[in-house]
Amino acid sequence: EISPDLLIFLEGRFGDRDTKLQGGYDTKILTVSKDYPFYIDAYGDGRNLMVAYSFKRELPPITALTSVKSYNVTGGAEYNLSEKLQLRTHGSFSRDTTSTQNENLTLSALIYEAMRFTDPARVYNIFGNGDDNHPETLAYILTDRFYKTRFSLYEAQSLLEGEAVQLPGGDVRFALGGSYRKEKAWT
C-alpha cells in the first residue's frame, strides 16, 4: 500500500521439474521382400511379408528424459481516482520450456538399410532370436530424438469503474475495461 488510494502488487513464481520415464521397447512393422537374405516364404508364392517386430530381446527400453522450466511474473495496481472512481490494472508474463530426450528409438529407414547391408555378418536379421545381430548393426539402427518446446503468454487488463450519476432509486454505476492477450508456442 503506497497510500490510502494506491495499492500495488507483484508476484513471481519459478518451477523446475525433471522426470525420467522408462517405458516399453520399440516396435516396428516392416515389409520384407523375397530378395531379403533371411526371407521366409510363408505363403509359398514369394509375396512381400509384413512383419511386426519387437526389439525387446536386443535393445534397451525406450527412455524419456524430460526437463520443464516455468516462470510467471504478475503485477498490478489499484488506484482510487476519487471516492466514486477506481482504476484497476494488472499484467502478467509466463513462459514454459520443455526439453525431452527420447533414447533407444529405432528408425525404419535405418533398419531397412541394415537389412540390405552387403556384409552378410552385419545384415539385420528380423527372423532371428534376438541375439544373433551384430553389435555394430544394433548401434547403427539406434537413435535418440530431442524435442524442445516453448510457450509464452502475455496478458494485461484494465478496468475503470465507478458511479456515473445518483438517482432517487439508487446509483447508476459504470465499468469500462479492456484486455490484451498474446500466446506464442514454438519449437
Side-chain angles (χ1 to χ4, degrees):
E1 188 173 317
I2 303 299
S3 72
D5 292 323
L6 178 61
L7 172 72
I8 63 171
F9 64 92
L10 181 66
E11 177 182 312
R13 296 181 188 160
F14 176 75
D16 187 359
R17 180 179 71 231
D18 295 319
T19 61
K20 178 179 181 179
L21 175 64
Q22 197 159 13
Y25 295 85
D26 207 358
T27 58
K28 292 284 188 268
I29 296 179
L30 303 166
T31 302
V32 180
S33 64
K34 64 182 176 183
D35 58 343
Y36 175 57
F38 300 106
Y39 177 78
I40 297 171
D41 193 358
Y43 301 104
D45 59 5
R47 75 171 96 166
N48 289 348
L49 302 175
M50 298 291 288
V51 177
Y53 190 79
S54 169
F55 297 90
K56 182 176 182 177
R57 292 182 292 185
E58 55 205 334
L59 296 177
I62 297 170
T63 302
L65 305 169
T66 302
S67 173
V68 179
K69 293 185 180 8
S70 60
Y71 61 89
N72 170 271
V73 176
T74 301
E78 296 180 9
Y79 185 56
N80 294 323
L81 298 167
S82 69
E83 286 184 21
K84 299 179 181 184
L85 187 63
Q86 295 84 35
L87 174 65
R88 294 188 187 114
T89 184
H90 74 272
S92 67
F93 173 74
S94 301
R95 174 164 288 165
D96 293 326
T97 302
T98 302
S99 303
T100 301
Q101 175 78 25
N102 289 322
E103 299 175 344
N104 304 322
L105 299 172
T106 60
L107 288 177
S108 296
L110 295 177
I111 297 167
Y112 284 122
E113 285 180 25
M115 290 169 64
R116 292 188 299 272
F117 282 163
T118 54
D119 179 358
R122 291 195 59 220
V123 173
Y124 192 74
N125 183 0
I126 64 168
F127 293 115
N129 63 10
D131 62 0
D132 53 355
N133 284 306
H134 197 282
E136 289 178 15
T137 304
L138 295 175
Y140 181 80
I141 66 170
L142 267 181
T143 188
D144 295 341
R145 290 191 184 141
F146 180 77
Y147 304 94
K148 187 172 192 173
T149 56
R150 294 175 205 88
F151 178 79
S152 64
L153 173 63
Y154 304 87
E155 286 186 295
Q157 295 179 344
S158 289
L159 178 65
L160 180 64
E161 64 180 338
E163 181 182 309
V165 293
Q166 290 180 337
L167 296 176
D171 297 339
V172 175
R173 298 192 54 83
F174 75 93
L176 175 65
S179 65
Y180 171 81
R181 180 181 177 100
K182 180 180 178 182
E183 296 182 36
K184 183 178 177 184
W186 68 101
T187 57

